[in-house]
Amino acid sequence: RCTLKKENTNPDCDGGSEHCEAIGVCIDELVISYLQNYLETESNTVGEQTLHFDGGIRFRGTLFSGKLLEARGFREANQLSADMHSHESEFDGALSKYAERSTSTDVSKSPGARDRSLKIVSLLSKIDRDEDKKKDGEDEEEEEDSDYDPWASVK
């Protein structure tokens, strides 16, 4: 269990509490790691690229983390899938929100938040938006063909 109290608010924290700030740091670091892996595999493979950012990162959000995800440009899932996620990455939303966070005076109170936001914006700018959109469309087609029933084991 987390020892950081969700209820203890602190206006100097990113997200309004130490708990939200810690989760926000985790989200940012996950996005940075995913983008670095994405760009690394893109440069090492020719032709077939399996990763994509738009819809590529999926989260099961809670009341607290859902707000943090939306503040970072993630969209709510609009259809059920096998992993039952609630939020997924969106290129335009993430680019917009992280660019906004990198210039915000509220976020700058949190140590490292501006640096992480700038790093994410920098990594996002290296992605070919049209190619990423194509990969997301191909992935959606594969999911539609799947006959997976998440409730099959429930009797």
Side-chain angles (χ1 to χ4, degrees):
R1 306 238 347 132
C2 181
T3 60
L4 298 173
K5 302 279 187 241
K6 297 175 189 172
E7 300 83 20
N8 295 353
T9 59
N10 183 348
D12 291 333
C13 292
D14 183 18
S17 71
E18 289 179 0
H19 178 264
C20 288
E21 184 171 355
I23 292 174
V25 169
C26 294
I27 293 169
D28 293 346
E29 289 296 330
L30 176 85
V31 171
I32 289 170
S33 176
Y34 185 88
L35 288 170
Q36 288 172 334
N37 189 24
Y38 174 98
L39 293 169
E40 184 179 306
T41 57
E42 187 176 73
S43 65
N44 291 340
T45 58
V46 179
E48 193 64 33
Q49 171 71 14
T50 56
L51 293 176
H52 56 90
F53 183 77
D54 208 36
I57 304 176
R58 298 175 174 184
F59 286 97
R60 286 187 212 159
T62 64
L63 290 173
F64 292 96
S65 64
K67 293 175 187 171
L68 297 171
L69 290 166
E70 289 168 9
R72 285 160 171 78
F74 285 75
R75 65 179 174 239
E76 286 189 12
N78 53 8
Q79 73 184 108
L80 291 175
S81 66
D83 61 7
M84 302 181 78
H85 65 282
S86 64
H87 291 80
E88 56 192 17
S89 54
E90 179 184 22
F91 186 91
D92 294 330
L95 186 60
S96 169
K97 292 291 186 174
Y98 276 108
E100 192 177 296
R101 288 176 60 78
S102 67
T103 60
S104 171
T105 56
D106 294 333
V107 174
S108 65
K109 293 177 188 175
S110 173
R114 176 174 280 158
D115 292 336
R116 285 190 304 276
S117 296
L118 286 170
K119 189 169 189 174
I120 291 170
V121 170
S122 172
L123 292 169
L124 282 171
S125 68
K126 296 176 183 176
I127 293 176
D128 182 354
R129 178 73 182 106
D130 296 329
E131 279 296 313
D132 193 64
K133 202 73 155 153
K134 261 193 260 182
K135 288 180 237 168
D136 183 36
E138 291 168 7
D139 191 43
E140 285 177 9
E141 289 173 13
E142 288 175 17
E143 282 183 11
E144 288 174 7
D145 294 340
S146 172
D147 289 334
Y148 178 79
D149 181 8
W151 301 103
S153 63
V154 178
K155 295 180 183 188

